[in-house]
Amino acid sequence: MFNQFILKQPKQLKIKLKEPFLDQKPGTSGLRKSSKQFEVPNYLESFIESIFQTLPNVKGGTLILGGDGRYGNLRAIQIIIRIAAAHGVTRIITTLNGILSTPAASNLIREKQAIGGIILSASHNPGGKNGDFGIKLNGSNGGPANEMLTNEIYNCSKNLKEYKIIDKVEISLNTKATFSIGDLNVEVIDGVDDYLSLMQAIFDFDQIRSLINDQFPIAFDALNAVTGPYAKRLLEELIGSPSGTVRNAIPKEDFGGIHPDPNLTYAHELADALLNGSDYSFGAACDGDGDRNMILGQKCFVNPSDSLAVLAANAELIPAYRNGLLGVARSMPTSSAVDVVAKKLGINCYETPTGWKYFGNLLDAGKITICGEESFGTGSNHIREKDGLWAVLFWLQILSVKRCSVLDLMLDHWSTFGRNYYSRHDYESISLEKANELYQRLELILPTLSNQPFAGQNVCSADNFSYTDPIDSSIAKNQGLRIILDDASRVIVRLSGTGTQGATLRIYYEKFEPANGNLNQDPQQVLASLINAMDELGEITKRTGMDSPTVIT
Ligand code: VG1
Ligand code: CO
């Protein structure tokens, strides 16, 4: 048994607020702001108070609490415990040093039948005193809080006059222990253990181990963020890849100055090594909170949309999915590569708005088994979040059966299903005003585009994507502008909901090449006519003042 500490009966305090604090509705994944903003007195507290006033079953409930280790995590954990205690939560499960990845948190919420979880992370945004901080709230199914709940929290916060908190207590997160504070029990557990068991229930580790033993060197970059301790145990201890396989394995408060975003720009060290033909047969990286993944092979970058399609096409090689898939889903801007696989498998493919919460209803209703987004996120019905290391293990399991290079696997996939050439162009930190003007202008033009020429073709349809949830019939409007051409090529335009500086404009391009076509071309070249046509139509260069995007995926 762990150490048990009984702390003195706490005093209840009520702190009056001079003004309501929240100037913005929490976005696609919670509230994200600069670390400095979260340090403004009563800012964090007010948001947490609004959560506990809104979340169902708080009194007597169990809460999961942890984060990605970034600056601000430890302070937030102490404050959240005190506010939770004042609201009658009776059990909080938190983790050693507060380290808990988003997928591991989702798993714990489900396993411990919690009322929800609070994950302290701004995901792939940089951390540290001058970086970003964030709070994600997940509900009792383990997935991101739905729109209704976040709206209620926002409305509550706008009228907040005071918050409840107990007197200062200090919970040590250095060792496994339990603390009783009045009616509240706080358990400090190892945040890796339960996640490890879950992965062992899904994959055949012996098989993956035999691949690694047969001269299949792999490298994983945790980018000084949360996945380090998880990857060490999974890849080095369980699978037996040599020590050092996991780079940047110790979570740091500022991620060592790295931008913990697993893409070709921000995880370029590992990407350069693999793409320049180093000895590694496989490379992968995860983001700050461990829900995203990037997959690389020798001289091969796997586009996340293709990754989703490959997982779906090979799911039966994984013990947990041996009996096939119920269905699949992708977010609207994600390429249609997985649709092609679904058609061949004879299963449904759902198209949802951006953000993991929309998959939750489909997963809960048993409509889908696997889902994903173009933004390096893939996952399944094992939890209700995207899961970076799960995707890495999935890929390794496929490769341990196929025994081929990542590039050969991709070429083989495309020559079966055809290739959806795809790219996302991000224009970061443009002024809010310019971005809104660009977007609104484009939206006004859309209705005039039908049957007009675009990139040497004809526009089949142009609209602003709207989604009706097939389970609860809720409607999500304004989810992104789409231009679809006669040959099913697509150009999509969205404004990001997760940035904290100015606005980020995302443009997504897709063009299908059939299985007997030219499958090994540079996507930027294949998509050039779409890119140029969009630049002209949307006046992208002129209005952003940028000659090229900040990040190209
Ligand atoms: C981005 C991605 C989206 C993802 C979201 C949260 O949102 O595009 O696909 O669900 O981040 O991911 P946006 O609005 O900036 O495009 V994470 O890793 O922060 O939980
Ligand atoms: Co993330």
PDB file of all heavy atoms in Angstrom, residues 55-58 60-65 89 91-93 105-118 138-142:
ATOM      1  N   LEU A  55     -20.522  21.050 -14.423  1.00  0.00           N
ATOM      2  CA  LEU A  55     -20.356  19.613 -14.676  1.00  0.00           C
ATOM      3  C   LEU A  55     -21.349  18.803 -13.834  1.00  0.00           C
ATOM      4  O   LEU A  55     -21.498  19.056 -12.640  1.00  0.00           O
ATOM      5  CB  LEU A  55     -18.911  19.232 -14.307  1.00  0.00           C
ATOM      6  CG  LEU A  55     -18.367  17.874 -14.733  1.00  0.00           C
ATOM      7  CD1 LEU A  55     -18.223  17.821 -16.251  1.00  0.00           C
ATOM      8  CD2 LEU A  55     -17.004  17.634 -14.082  1.00  0.00           C
ATOM      9  N   PRO A  56     -22.022  17.807 -14.440  1.00  0.00           N
ATOM     10  CA  PRO A  56     -22.974  17.008 -13.652  1.00  0.00           C
ATOM     11  C   PRO A  56     -22.296  16.111 -12.609  1.00  0.00           C
ATOM     12  O   PRO A  56     -21.162  15.666 -12.815  1.00  0.00           O
ATOM     13  CB  PRO A  56     -23.666  16.138 -14.714  1.00  0.00           C
ATOM     14  CG  PRO A  56     -23.313  16.702 -16.045  1.00  0.00           C
ATOM     15  CD  PRO A  56     -22.040  17.448 -15.869  1.00  0.00           C
ATOM     16  N   ASN A  57     -22.998  15.839 -11.528  1.00  0.00           N
ATOM     17  CA  ASN A  57     -22.594  14.861 -10.495  1.00  0.00           C
ATOM     18  C   ASN A  57     -21.302  15.164  -9.749  1.00  0.00           C
ATOM     19  O   ASN A  57     -20.561  14.257  -9.360  1.00  0.00           O
ATOM     20  CB  ASN A  57     -22.492  13.453 -11.102  1.00  0.00           C
ATOM     21  CG  ASN A  57     -23.771  13.050 -11.803  1.00  0.00           C
ATOM     22  OD1 ASN A  57     -24.864  13.283 -11.270  1.00  0.00           O
ATOM     23  ND2 ASN A  57     -23.652  12.495 -12.986  1.00  0.00           N
ATOM     24  N   VAL A  58     -21.020  16.449  -9.576  1.00  0.00           N
ATOM     25  CA  VAL A  58     -19.770  16.836  -8.907  1.00  0.00           C
ATOM     26  C   VAL A  58     -19.739  16.334  -7.455  1.00  0.00           C
ATOM     27  O   VAL A  58     -18.751  15.757  -7.000  1.00  0.00           O
ATOM     28  CB  VAL A  58     -19.598  18.374  -8.955  1.00  0.00           C
ATOM     29  CG1 VAL A  58     -18.560  18.850  -7.960  1.00  0.00           C
ATOM     30  CG2 VAL A  58     -19.210  18.797 -10.377  1.00  0.00           C
ATOM     31  N   GLY A  60     -19.736  14.176  -4.490  1.00  0.00           N
ATOM     32  CA  GLY A  60     -19.527  12.737  -4.331  1.00  0.00           C
ATOM     33  C   GLY A  60     -18.864  12.081  -5.533  1.00  0.00           C
ATOM     34  O   GLY A  60     -18.706  10.864  -5.582  1.00  0.00           O
ATOM     35  N   GLY A  61     -18.463  12.866  -6.516  1.00  0.00           N
ATOM     36  CA  GLY A  61     -17.899  12.312  -7.751  1.00  0.00           C
ATOM     37  C   GLY A  61     -16.387  12.105  -7.709  1.00  0.00           C
ATOM     38  O   GLY A  61     -15.695  12.568  -6.798  1.00  0.00           O
ATOM     39  N   THR A  62     -15.918  11.366  -8.716  1.00  0.00           N
ATOM     40  CA  THR A  62     -14.485  11.114  -8.888  1.00  0.00           C
ATOM     41  C   THR A  62     -13.976  11.950 -10.057  1.00  0.00           C
ATOM     42  O   THR A  62     -14.623  12.010 -11.097  1.00  0.00           O
ATOM     43  CB  THR A  62     -14.248   9.622  -9.217  1.00  0.00           C
ATOM     44  OG1 THR A  62     -14.714   8.846  -8.121  1.00  0.00           O
ATOM     45  CG2 THR A  62     -12.790   9.318  -9.481  1.00  0.00           C
ATOM     46  N   LEU A  63     -12.815  12.577  -9.875  1.00  0.00           N
ATOM     47  CA  LEU A  63     -12.237  13.423 -10.921  1.00  0.00           C
ATOM     48  C   LEU A  63     -10.820  12.951 -11.245  1.00  0.00           C
ATOM     49  O   LEU A  63     -10.044  12.623 -10.350  1.00  0.00           O
ATOM     50  CB  LEU A  63     -12.190  14.882 -10.428  1.00  0.00           C
ATOM     51  CG  LEU A  63     -11.608  15.894 -11.403  1.00  0.00           C
ATOM     52  CD1 LEU A  63     -12.664  16.307 -12.436  1.00  0.00           C
ATOM     53  CD2 LEU A  63     -11.094  17.139 -10.668  1.00  0.00           C
ATOM     54  N   ILE A  64     -10.492  12.916 -12.541  1.00  0.00           N
ATOM     55  CA  ILE A  64      -9.126  12.600 -12.975  1.00  0.00           C
ATOM     56  C   ILE A  64      -8.407  13.924 -13.253  1.00  0.00           C
ATOM     57  O   ILE A  64      -8.976  14.814 -13.882  1.00  0.00           O
ATOM     58  CB  ILE A  64      -9.147  11.740 -14.262  1.00  0.00           C
ATOM     59  CG1 ILE A  64     -10.034  10.503 -14.090  1.00  0.00           C
ATOM     60  CG2 ILE A  64      -7.733  11.358 -14.676  1.00  0.00           C
ATOM     61  CD1 ILE A  64      -9.630   9.548 -12.995  1.00  0.00           C
ATOM     62  N   LEU A  65      -7.168  14.039 -12.787  1.00  0.00           N
ATOM     63  CA  LEU A  65      -6.471  15.323 -12.880  1.00  0.00           C
ATOM     64  C   LEU A  65      -4.993  15.127 -13.193  1.00  0.00           C
ATOM     65  O   LEU A  65      -4.289  14.379 -12.506  1.00  0.00           O
ATOM     66  CB  LEU A  65      -6.637  16.064 -11.537  1.00  0.00           C
ATOM     67  CG  LEU A  65      -5.949  17.402 -11.355  1.00  0.00           C
ATOM     68  CD1 LEU A  65      -6.452  18.425 -12.370  1.00  0.00           C
ATOM     69  CD2 LEU A  65      -6.186  17.925  -9.934  1.00  0.00           C
ATOM     70  N   VAL A  89     -16.365  17.214  -4.315  1.00  0.00           N
ATOM     71  CA  VAL A  89     -15.784  16.052  -4.997  1.00  0.00           C
ATOM     72  C   VAL A  89     -15.173  15.162  -3.914  1.00  0.00           C
ATOM     73  O   VAL A  89     -14.523  15.659  -2.987  1.00  0.00           O
ATOM     74  CB  VAL A  89     -14.676  16.509  -5.993  1.00  0.00           C
ATOM     75  CG1 VAL A  89     -13.910  15.326  -6.553  1.00  0.00           C
ATOM     76  CG2 VAL A  89     -15.289  17.333  -7.120  1.00  0.00           C
ATOM     77  N   ARG A  91     -13.340  12.117  -4.574  1.00  0.00           N
ATOM     78  CA  ARG A  91     -12.156  11.351  -4.967  1.00  0.00           C
ATOM     79  C   ARG A  91     -11.477  12.033  -6.153  1.00  0.00           C
ATOM     80  O   ARG A  91     -12.117  12.290  -7.178  1.00  0.00           O
ATOM     81  CB  ARG A  91     -12.584   9.938  -5.355  1.00  0.00           C
ATOM     82  CG  ARG A  91     -11.442   8.994  -5.608  1.00  0.00           C
ATOM     83  CD  ARG A  91     -11.980   7.602  -5.959  1.00  0.00           C
ATOM     84  NE  ARG A  91     -10.895   6.676  -6.186  1.00  0.00           N
ATOM     85  CZ  ARG A  91     -10.969   5.622  -6.981  1.00  0.00           C
ATOM     86  NH1 ARG A  91     -12.101   5.344  -7.610  1.00  0.00           N
ATOM     87  NH2 ARG A  91      -9.939   4.826  -7.144  1.00  0.00           N
ATOM     88  N   ILE A  92     -10.190  12.327  -5.986  1.00  0.00           N
ATOM     89  CA  ILE A  92      -9.416  12.859  -7.106  1.00  0.00           C
ATOM     90  C   ILE A  92      -8.263  11.911  -7.357  1.00  0.00           C
ATOM     91  O   ILE A  92      -7.529  11.547  -6.437  1.00  0.00           O
ATOM     92  CB  ILE A  92      -8.874  14.276  -6.808  1.00  0.00           C
ATOM     93  CG1 ILE A  92     -10.033  15.275  -6.718  1.00  0.00           C
ATOM     94  CG2 ILE A  92      -7.891  14.720  -7.889  1.00  0.00           C
ATOM     95  CD1 ILE A  92      -9.608  16.703  -6.418  1.00  0.00           C
ATOM     96  N   ILE A  93      -8.135  11.497  -8.598  1.00  0.00           N
ATOM     97  CA  ILE A  93      -6.989  10.659  -8.953  1.00  0.00           C
ATOM     98  C   ILE A  93      -6.043  11.514  -9.771  1.00  0.00           C
ATOM     99  O   ILE A  93      -6.386  11.989 -10.858  1.00  0.00           O
ATOM    100  CB  ILE A  93      -7.432   9.414  -9.752  1.00  0.00           C
ATOM    101  CG1 ILE A  93      -8.373   8.584  -8.866  1.00  0.00           C
ATOM    102  CG2 ILE A  93      -6.229   8.592 -10.192  1.00  0.00           C
ATOM    103  CD1 ILE A  93      -9.050   7.440  -9.574  1.00  0.00           C
ATOM    104  N   ALA A 105      -5.406  10.001 -19.706  1.00  0.00           N
ATOM    105  CA  ALA A 105      -6.465  10.599 -18.892  1.00  0.00           C
ATOM    106  C   ALA A 105      -7.821  10.073 -19.347  1.00  0.00           C
ATOM    107  O   ALA A 105      -8.673   9.709 -18.530  1.00  0.00           O
ATOM    108  CB  ALA A 105      -6.418  12.117 -19.001  1.00  0.00           C
ATOM    109  N   SER A 106      -8.022  10.008 -20.648  1.00  0.00           N
ATOM    110  CA  SER A 106      -9.296   9.505 -21.182  1.00  0.00           C
ATOM    111  C   SER A 106      -9.540   8.075 -20.696  1.00  0.00           C
ATOM    112  O   SER A 106     -10.653   7.721 -20.286  1.00  0.00           O
ATOM    113  CB  SER A 106      -9.261   9.554 -22.713  1.00  0.00           C
ATOM    114  OG  SER A 106     -10.469   9.106 -23.253  1.00  0.00           O
ATOM    115  N   ASN A 107      -8.479   7.297 -20.712  1.00  0.00           N
ATOM    116  CA  ASN A 107      -8.598   5.911 -20.238  1.00  0.00           C
ATOM    117  C   ASN A 107      -8.964   5.861 -18.756  1.00  0.00           C
ATOM    118  O   ASN A 107      -9.855   5.111 -18.353  1.00  0.00           O
ATOM    119  CB  ASN A 107      -7.273   5.177 -20.485  1.00  0.00           C
ATOM    120  CG  ASN A 107      -7.301   3.755 -19.959  1.00  0.00           C
ATOM    121  OD1 ASN A 107      -8.282   3.038 -20.166  1.00  0.00           O
ATOM    122  ND2 ASN A 107      -6.255   3.355 -19.270  1.00  0.00           N
ATOM    123  N   LEU A 108      -8.287   6.674 -17.942  1.00  0.00           N
ATOM    124  CA  LEU A 108      -8.562   6.652 -16.492  1.00  0.00           C
ATOM    125  C   LEU A 108      -9.995   7.072 -16.184  1.00  0.00           C
ATOM    126  O   LEU A 108     -10.652   6.507 -15.308  1.00  0.00           O
ATOM    127  CB  LEU A 108      -7.588   7.562 -15.746  1.00  0.00           C
ATOM    128  CG  LEU A 108      -6.179   6.994 -15.472  1.00  0.00           C
ATOM    129  CD1 LEU A 108      -5.320   8.042 -14.777  1.00  0.00           C
ATOM    130  CD2 LEU A 108      -6.246   5.723 -14.628  1.00  0.00           C
ATOM    131  N   ILE A 109     -10.476   8.093 -16.909  1.00  0.00           N
ATOM    132  CA  ILE A 109     -11.860   8.552 -16.674  1.00  0.00           C
ATOM    133  C   ILE A 109     -12.822   7.380 -16.857  1.00  0.00           C
ATOM    134  O   ILE A 109     -13.728   7.153 -16.056  1.00  0.00           O
ATOM    135  CB  ILE A 109     -12.237   9.688 -17.660  1.00  0.00           C
ATOM    136  CG1 ILE A 109     -11.401  10.932 -17.394  1.00  0.00           C
ATOM    137  CG2 ILE A 109     -13.735  10.012 -17.562  1.00  0.00           C
ATOM    138  CD1 ILE A 109     -11.513  12.006 -18.470  1.00  0.00           C
ATOM    139  N   ARG A 110     -12.587   6.610 -17.902  1.00  0.00           N
ATOM    140  CA  ARG A 110     -13.483   5.491 -18.212  1.00  0.00           C
ATOM    141  C   ARG A 110     -13.317   4.359 -17.208  1.00  0.00           C
ATOM    142  O   ARG A 110     -14.293   3.791 -16.716  1.00  0.00           O
ATOM    143  CB  ARG A 110     -13.207   4.996 -19.633  1.00  0.00           C
ATOM    144  CG  ARG A 110     -13.520   6.057 -20.680  1.00  0.00           C
ATOM    145  CD  ARG A 110     -12.912   5.735 -22.025  1.00  0.00           C
ATOM    146  NE  ARG A 110     -13.500   4.560 -22.650  1.00  0.00           N
ATOM    147  CZ  ARG A 110     -14.676   4.534 -23.241  1.00  0.00           C
ATOM    148  NH1 ARG A 110     -15.416   5.623 -23.267  1.00  0.00           N
ATOM    149  NH2 ARG A 110     -15.132   3.429 -23.792  1.00  0.00           N
ATOM    150  N   GLU A 111     -12.046   4.076 -16.898  1.00  0.00           N
ATOM    151  CA  GLU A 111     -11.764   2.953 -16.012  1.00  0.00           C
ATOM    152  C   GLU A 111     -12.256   3.186 -14.586  1.00  0.00           C
ATOM    153  O   GLU A 111     -12.763   2.286 -13.926  1.00  0.00           O
ATOM    154  CB  GLU A 111     -10.253   2.785 -15.967  1.00  0.00           C
ATOM    155  CG  GLU A 111      -9.774   1.408 -16.242  1.00  0.00           C
ATOM    156  CD  GLU A 111      -8.268   1.393 -16.251  1.00  0.00           C
ATOM    157  OE1 GLU A 111      -7.634   1.842 -15.272  1.00  0.00           O
ATOM    158  OE2 GLU A 111      -7.731   0.959 -17.262  1.00  0.00           O
ATOM    159  N   LYS A 112     -12.086   4.425 -14.105  1.00  0.00           N
ATOM    160  CA  LYS A 112     -12.440   4.737 -12.715  1.00  0.00           C
ATOM    161  C   LYS A 112     -13.854   5.277 -12.597  1.00  0.00           C
ATOM    162  O   LYS A 112     -14.237   5.792 -11.559  1.00  0.00           O
ATOM    163  CB  LYS A 112     -11.455   5.760 -12.132  1.00  0.00           C
ATOM    164  CG  LYS A 112      -9.993   5.430 -12.342  1.00  0.00           C
ATOM    165  CD  LYS A 112      -9.496   4.409 -11.338  1.00  0.00           C
ATOM    166  CE  LYS A 112      -8.003   4.145 -11.526  1.00  0.00           C
ATOM    167  NZ  LYS A 112      -7.507   3.015 -10.738  1.00  0.00           N
ATOM    168  N   GLN A 113     -14.602   5.224 -13.687  1.00  0.00           N
ATOM    169  CA  GLN A 113     -15.968   5.758 -13.722  1.00  0.00           C
ATOM    170  C   GLN A 113     -16.059   7.157 -13.111  1.00  0.00           C
ATOM    171  O   GLN A 113     -16.886   7.438 -12.243  1.00  0.00           O
ATOM    172  CB  GLN A 113     -16.915   4.799 -13.023  1.00  0.00           C
ATOM    173  CG  GLN A 113     -17.196   3.644 -13.937  1.00  0.00           C
ATOM    174  CD  GLN A 113     -17.653   2.394 -13.226  1.00  0.00           C
ATOM    175  OE1 GLN A 113     -17.919   2.411 -12.033  1.00  0.00           O
ATOM    176  NE2 GLN A 113     -17.732   1.312 -13.956  1.00  0.00           N
ATOM    177  N   ALA A 114     -15.173   8.006 -13.588  1.00  0.00           N
ATOM    178  CA  ALA A 114     -15.119   9.378 -13.082  1.00  0.00           C
ATOM    179  C   ALA A 114     -16.212  10.225 -13.725  1.00  0.00           C
ATOM    180  O   ALA A 114     -16.755   9.859 -14.769  1.00  0.00           O
ATOM    181  CB  ALA A 114     -13.750   9.965 -13.383  1.00  0.00           C
ATOM    182  N   ILE A 115     -16.497  11.367 -13.082  1.00  0.00           N
ATOM    183  CA  ILE A 115     -17.461  12.297 -13.684  1.00  0.00           C
ATOM    184  C   ILE A 115     -16.788  13.052 -14.831  1.00  0.00           C
ATOM    185  O   ILE A 115     -17.447  13.674 -15.654  1.00  0.00           O
ATOM    186  CB  ILE A 115     -17.994  13.318 -12.651  1.00  0.00           C
ATOM    187  CG1 ILE A 115     -16.830  14.051 -11.962  1.00  0.00           C
ATOM    188  CG2 ILE A 115     -18.862  12.619 -11.623  1.00  0.00           C
ATOM    189  CD1 ILE A 115     -17.255  15.282 -11.199  1.00  0.00           C
ATOM    190  N   GLY A 116     -15.481  13.000 -14.868  1.00  0.00           N
ATOM    191  CA  GLY A 116     -14.740  13.670 -15.933  1.00  0.00           C
ATOM    192  C   GLY A 116     -13.289  13.836 -15.555  1.00  0.00           C
ATOM    193  O   GLY A 116     -12.818  13.261 -14.567  1.00  0.00           O
ATOM    194  N   GLY A 117     -12.590  14.604 -16.368  1.00  0.00           N
ATOM    195  CA  GLY A 117     -11.181  14.824 -16.098  1.00  0.00           C
ATOM    196  C   GLY A 117     -10.769  16.218 -16.512  1.00  0.00           C
ATOM    197  O   GLY A 117     -11.372  16.807 -17.413  1.00  0.00           O
ATOM    198  N   ILE A 118      -9.766  16.738 -15.811  1.00  0.00           N
ATOM    199  CA  ILE A 118      -9.210  18.025 -16.205  1.00  0.00           C
ATOM    200  C   ILE A 118      -7.765  17.780 -16.617  1.00  0.00           C
ATOM    201  O   ILE A 118      -6.962  17.251 -15.843  1.00  0.00           O
ATOM    202  CB  ILE A 118      -9.311  19.050 -15.058  1.00  0.00           C
ATOM    203  CG1 ILE A 118     -10.791  19.338 -14.764  1.00  0.00           C
ATOM    204  CG2 ILE A 118      -8.576  20.335 -15.428  1.00  0.00           C
ATOM    205  CD1 ILE A 118     -11.014  20.319 -13.628  1.00  0.00           C
ATOM    206  N   ASN A 138     -12.740  16.991 -19.948  1.00  0.00           N
ATOM    207  CA  ASN A 138     -13.348  15.821 -20.582  1.00  0.00           C
ATOM    208  C   ASN A 138     -14.495  15.313 -19.732  1.00  0.00           C
ATOM    209  O   ASN A 138     -14.457  15.378 -18.506  1.00  0.00           O
ATOM    210  CB  ASN A 138     -12.307  14.723 -20.776  1.00  0.00           C
ATOM    211  CG  ASN A 138     -11.357  15.033 -21.923  1.00  0.00           C
ATOM    212  OD1 ASN A 138     -11.103  16.203 -22.217  1.00  0.00           O
ATOM    213  ND2 ASN A 138     -10.842  14.012 -22.572  1.00  0.00           N
ATOM    214  N   GLY A 139     -15.510  14.793 -20.396  1.00  0.00           N
ATOM    215  CA  GLY A 139     -16.695  14.321 -19.695  1.00  0.00           C
ATOM    216  C   GLY A 139     -16.582  12.864 -19.279  1.00  0.00           C
ATOM    217  O   GLY A 139     -15.534  12.233 -19.445  1.00  0.00           O
ATOM    218  N   SER A 140     -17.680  12.322 -18.764  1.00  0.00           N
ATOM    219  CA  SER A 140     -17.639  10.987 -18.161  1.00  0.00           C
ATOM    220  C   SER A 140     -17.399   9.877 -19.187  1.00  0.00           C
ATOM    221  O   SER A 140     -17.041   8.768 -18.827  1.00  0.00           O
ATOM    222  CB  SER A 140     -18.934  10.718 -17.390  1.00  0.00           C
ATOM    223  OG  SER A 140     -20.020  10.813 -18.279  1.00  0.00           O
ATOM    224  N   ASN A 141     -17.569  10.148 -20.477  1.00  0.00           N
ATOM    225  CA  ASN A 141     -17.251   9.110 -21.472  1.00  0.00           C
ATOM    226  C   ASN A 141     -15.761   9.124 -21.822  1.00  0.00           C
ATOM    227  O   ASN A 141     -15.297   8.313 -22.610  1.00  0.00           O
ATOM    228  CB  ASN A 141     -18.115   9.262 -22.731  1.00  0.00           C
ATOM    229  CG  ASN A 141     -17.686  10.426 -23.610  1.00  0.00           C
ATOM    230  OD1 ASN A 141     -16.979  11.331 -23.161  1.00  0.00           O
ATOM    231  ND2 ASN A 141     -18.096  10.405 -24.861  1.00  0.00           N
ATOM    232  N   GLY A 142     -15.020  10.097 -21.255  1.00  0.00           N
ATOM    233  CA  GLY A 142     -13.586  10.181 -21.506  1.00  0.00           C
ATOM    234  C   GLY A 142     -13.222  11.117 -22.634  1.00  0.00           C
ATOM    235  O   GLY A 142     -12.049  11.336 -22.918  1.00  0.00           O
TER     236      GLY A 142
END
